Amino acid sequence: MDTHKGILLCGEIEKGRLAPITVELLGIGRVLADKTGQELSILLMGSDVGGLSEEALAYGADKVYVAENPLLEHYHSDACTMVAADLCRKALPSILLLGNTDIGRDLAPRLAGRLQAGLATDAVELDIDPDTGLLVVTRPVFGGNALASVMVRNVRPQIATVRPKTVKPAEKDTSRQGQVIRMVAEVASSTLKVQVVERVEEKVEGVRLEDAEVVVSGGRGIGSSQNYEMIWELARLLEGAVGATRPACEEGWIPMLHQVGQTGKIVSPKLYIAVALSGAMQHIAGCSGSKCIVAINQDPEANIFKVAHYGVVGDFKEILPAFMGKLKELLAK
Amino acid sequence: MHIIVCVKQIPDPEIPSAKFKIDPATKKVVPPAGVPPVISVFDERAVEAACQLKDKNGAKITVISMGQGKVADVVKHALSMGADDGITLQDSAFDNLDSYGTAHVLSKAIQKIGEYDLVLCGRQAADWDSGQVGSILAEMLGIPVVTIARNIQAADGGLRVERVLKDGYEVVQAPMPCLVTVSNEVGLPRLPTGMGIITATRKKIPAWTAQDIEIDPAQVAPEGAHTEIVKLSVPIRDVQCEIVTGKDAGEAAVELAVRLRAANII
Ligand SMILES: Cc1cc2nc3c(=O)[nH]c(=O)nc-3n(C[C@H](O)[C@H](O)[C@H](O)COP(=O)(O)OP(=O)(O)OC[C@H]3O[C@@H](n4cnc5c(N)ncnc54)[C@H](O)[C@@H]3O)c2cc1C
Ligand SMILES: Nc1ncnc2c1ncn2[C@@H]1O[C@H](COP(=O)(O)O)[C@@H](O)[C@H]1O
């Protein structure tokens, strides 16, 4: 175990750039590396990603492993597990961090299985235990009703996936130097057991949730897709995005991609307006990073009032029209 | 087709937060009094996905659950939805296992079952929200894994699975046997039928112990666990909600807009 050293990150690439979660991993990775006096490395997998090495170094990596192969152009579970496991066996990192994204959620437990390592998913806080020098991962459990701190004891690497938008992103410093290592990423399509047939991008209407400054979400209390129009209208008025709770999605009032929460999108807008939703912790997990939460609910006991900054108790059908009327007047000024 | 579905019994995750209690000393959750435990949400969807495959193509569904006490209840629930057989894994050696240990026990049980074409798990258990066991189990069994599925169809001698992605989905073709983890997008779980409930009540559900599946308790001893929970706490929420009122809802709404404007929020 003592032969394992350093911190390795699994990078993600989005539209030819390092994904926001990767810049966040570089931020926390640097902090942990400095605390333990270890090296920070990052693995970039793709078809043509070498150009991003400089960026990764500027954001704080000491070493960049580049694994290029046409088969890695998009995330492929079998291929990426092979490449990342191979690197872990050679580089022997003590800590391995990934994003708790669609990629990291798939890759991390496979690596934990293949490397017989230890994993804690969906971290919102990472620290080093002063006594043992081991990683302490704090993660919401029971839908966010509790927080558990987890340590990996007997095995290596200590793997964690980090929830997006919970740690401070790294700052860029283009004067930083480091090492770039090209790996031989030998993945033959014949060794891939699962074949990707098709990737379908589903366009969400309006503003993207992740980028929005304002998000308006409706819950089960909205009652119909017709009533949901009011949520859309309010979002348009504030140039914001439309979110939803899981029941609202499952009722078919709005596509699944709009779901906010632990198993949906994580948003952190300036303003989050929660309409006719009870504020279950699994939902709040997706919006608790919002600067200001406004709740509209007819039940004064609803949990949402325990996390909101402003609230109105009443029927949204009466509240929203009056609210929008006044908003229009104020925004015109 | 033989489908094995792994289901877990958990405290009801939808109880109001106010009823949620922990014991920080033992780092355990205190189950709410009077609220019966339930089948984990995504595991119920996994049973639903298995039933959908059975409806379309014919299949035998075996449900397994590792747990304590009344764990047979979740197996019965799955049987009443349409599963054919159920097995519980009960042994004091199985208490408080981490994800790796859980996957180990499930893999041994699945090896004892023998022949199978598909193993289904939930995308994550709705208590500790880990999302690990399915993939680790697949690695242990040496079979391909497809995670976070929203649709599973039999096709070309294997399975055609749609995986949920951040901005859409991906269609993959997997050979069998394989393991798939199921997300809620596969559809709402069917309600047990009267006939289903009767069949489920009559069904014998064997309880396998460590010995039955050839697990040496030392293999899953706490000292060997890969992960350890070192602290459990309930987060403190210190937000003071400003309730905006008026003589009626409309007036309160207008006042809300005015306050948000004054606070420079809009
Ligand atoms: C493992 C797990 C993961 C989950 N992940 C997510 C997730 O990612 N996202 C998510 O959203 N949920 C998730 N859930 C579900 C979550 O636990 C709740 O069930 C869900 O968020 C409740 O949705 P809701 O607030 O819309 O519905 P409800 O809880 O039914 O609340 C409806 C609210 O509307 C109010 N209301 C009704 N009519 C009106 C009216 N006319 N005017 C004003 N108010 C009205 C009611 O007072 C009530 O408070 C998850 C659950 C589990 C177990
Ligand atoms: N005790 C258990 N018995 C049967 N299946 C389990 C058990 N624990 C976990 N699983 C399966 O593994 C999935 C993921 O669990 P987890 O990794 O704990 O979030 C669950 O949705 C179940 O399908």
Side-chain angles (χ1 to χ4, degrees):
Chain A
M1 248 165 20
D2 293 327
T3 51
H4 288 73
K5 277 198 187 65
I7 299 168
L8 176 65
L9 313 174
C10 263
E12 284 183 35
I13 292 139
E14 214 172 271
K15 301 196 180 78
R17 304 290 307 274
L18 294 180
I21 179 65
T22 301
V23 179
E24 291 160 20
L25 290 179
L26 283 159
I28 185 70
R30 192 66 255 166
V31 171
L32 298 175
D34 291 342
K35 261 194 187 169
T36 51
Q38 297 188 41
E39 204 175 58
L40 180 66
S41 322
I42 181 168
L43 167 62
L44 299 178
M45 295 183 270
S47 60
D48 174 23
V49 291
L52 293 172
S53 310
E54 293 301 316
E55 204 181 336
L57 293 175
Y59 276 120
D62 299 309
K63 204 186 262 177
V64 184
Y65 293 99
V66 178
E68 288 182 327
N69 187 311
L71 288 171
L72 296 171
E73 167 151 22
H74 295 285
Y75 175 75
H76 187 295
S77 184
D78 292 344
C80 291
T81 306
M82 239 182 268
V83 172
D86 191 39
L87 176 61
C88 286
R89 286 190 188 113
K90 287 185 182 128
L92 300 177
S94 175
I95 294 176
L96 172 64
L97 302 181
L98 305 90
N100 195 55
T101 57
D102 46 6
I103 293 177
R105 275 181 184 141
D106 183 78
L107 184 54
R110 290 197 73 177
L111 289 172
R114 194 160 298 184
L115 301 167
Q116 307 187 356
L119 164 65
T121 55
D122 207 15
V124 294
E125 234 179 271
L126 299 132
D127 207 351
I128 299 294
D129 176 48
D131 299 332
T132 55
L134 295 179
L135 182 68
V136 185
V137 177
T138 302
R139 55 187 304 271
V141 295
F142 289 80
N145 281 304
L147 282 173
S149 300
V150 181
M151 284 168 80
V152 173
R153 284 289 189 204
N154 304 306
V155 288
R156 294 289 176 276
Q158 312 163 69
I159 313 177
T161 64
V162 180
R163 183 181 286 193
K165 298 187 173 154
T166 53
V167 297
K168 217 166 126 232
E171 310 234 341
K172 204 167 186 171
D173 172 0
T174 43
S175 69
R176 287 188 51 100
Q177 305 271 309
Q179 201 184 353
V180 179
I181 299 168
R182 294 199 167 260
M183 290 174 61
V184 215
E186 278 183 60
V187 252
S189 56
S190 60
T191 58
L192 305 182
K193 295 182 196 154
V194 175
Q195 305 296 331
V196 177
V197 181
E198 184 185 12
R199 267 191 198 82
V200 183
E201 203 177 315
E202 292 178 308
K203 287 260 177 294
V204 295
E205 227 179 293
V207 184
R208 264 186 90 210
L209 272 163
E210 293 95 320
D211 310 331
E213 299 256 290
V214 176
V215 174
V216 187
S217 282
R220 180 159 24 214
I222 298 294
S224 67
S225 37
Q226 214 172 355
N227 286 349
Y228 223 90
E229 255 316 305
M230 270 198 230
I231 303 291
W232 284 100
E233 196 186 331
L234 177 55
R236 276 193 296 269
L237 197 58
L238 295 167
E239 290 167 24
V242 172
T245 64
R246 193 169 80 188
C249 296
E250 294 204 311
E251 290 287 351
W253 303 333
I254 179 157
M256 274 290 184
L257 283 181
H258 291 266
Q259 180 183 319
V260 170
Q262 188 199 28
T263 47
K265 299 262 176 353
I266 310 270
V267 301
S268 53
K270 288 207 180 103
L271 173 61
Y272 189 83
I273 307 184
V275 188
L277 61 85
S278 61
M281 289 312 292
Q282 292 92 347
H283 181 78
I284 300 306
C287 64
S288 58
S290 310
K291 289 230 167 56
C292 174
I293 299 180
V294 172
I296 297 171
N297 195 305
Q298 66 187 13
D299 172 11
E301 298 301 319
N303 191 55
I304 188 69
F305 291 118
K306 300 203 169 69
V307 294
H309 304 85
Y310 294 90
V312 180
V313 179
D315 187 341
F316 78 92
K317 291 191 232 66
E318 291 166 25
I319 292 165
L320 284 189
F323 183 56
M324 287 193 277
K326 187 66 187 178
L327 270 185
K328 278 183 201 148
E329 188 192 311
L330 291 171
L331 292 171
K333 276 188 200 157
Chain B
M1 189 183 337
H2 183 199
I3 307 172
I4 298 175
V5 191
C6 302
V7 303
K8 184 179 187 188
Q9 186 171 50
I10 61 163
D12 190 340
E14 305 252 1
I15 57 159
S17 288
K19 280 201 174 168
F20 181 85
K21 298 251 152 26
I22 62 162
D23 177 2
T26 56
K27 291 167 280 218
K28 287 207 177 113
V29 170
V30 183
V35 186
V38 296
I39 179 170
S40 182
V41 188
F42 302 105
D43 303 359
E44 193 179 22
R45 306 293 172 109
V47 176
E48 170 60 30
C51 291
Q52 288 173 11
L53 282 165
K54 181 176 165 177
D55 291 344
K56 255 205 174 150
N57 313 289
K60 180 184 157 184
I61 304 172
T62 303
V63 178
I64 60 175
S65 185
M66 180 189 86
Q68 307 164 315
K70 303 199 117 202
V71 63
D73 285 357
V74 292
V75 173
K76 283 202 187 113
H77 178 78
L79 290 171
S80 69
M81 285 172 71
D84 301 284
D85 281 319
I87 301 160
T88 64
L89 311 169
Q90 283 182 281
D91 196 301
S92 56
F94 303 161
D95 294 352
N96 307 315
L97 293 184
D98 68 348
S99 303
Y100 203 86
T102 303
H104 177 67
V105 172
L106 294 175
S107 75
K108 288 295 214 175
I110 289 170
Q111 277 157 9
K112 183 177 161 89
I113 293 171
E115 296 285 311
Y116 60 89
D117 303 290
L118 171 62
V119 180
L120 293 179
C121 283
R123 61 177 286 177
Q124 69 197 51
D127 49 2
W128 294 94
D129 295 317
S130 283
Q132 302 195 26
V133 167
S135 301
I136 298 177
L137 176 58
E139 290 289 332
M140 285 176 177
L141 293 168
I143 57 175
V145 56
V146 180
T147 57
I148 315 198
R150 53 169 237 174
N151 188 288
I152 310 170
Q153 304 285 337
D156 303 328
L159 294 173
R160 188 147 295 213
V161 186
E162 292 177 10
R163 292 187 61 221
V164 180
L165 300 181
K166 186 167 45 115
D167 294 315
Y169 62 98
E170 170 178 270
V171 187
V172 302
Q173 176 73 25
M176 290 196 279
C178 67
L179 187 148
V180 178
T181 76
V182 175
S183 191
N184 52 292
E185 286 88 343
V186 295
L188 292 169
R190 61 194 61 198
L191 294 170
T193 60
M195 221 17 238
I197 294 169
I198 295 170
T199 326
T201 334
R202 290 195 187 141
K203 196 101 202 168
K204 280 242 158 3
I205 301 168
W208 289 353
T209 62
Q211 200 184 358
D212 292 326
I213 52 177
E214 288 169 26
I215 288 184
D216 172 2
Q219 278 175 295
V220 288
E223 307 81 63
H226 289 200
T227 56
E228 184 192 338
I229 295 165
V230 292
K231 189 176 159 204
L232 187 67
S233 64
V234 170
I236 305 154
R237 277 177 260 133
D238 49 8
V239 184
Q240 267 303 331
C241 186
E242 205 175 308
I243 298 287
V244 183
T245 53
K247 78 173 183 312
D248 57 26
E251 209 183 84
V254 169
E255 177 62 18
L256 174 66
V258 171
R259 286 216 210 157
L260 292 178
R261 184 63 163 196
N264 234 339
I265 295 164
I266 48 173

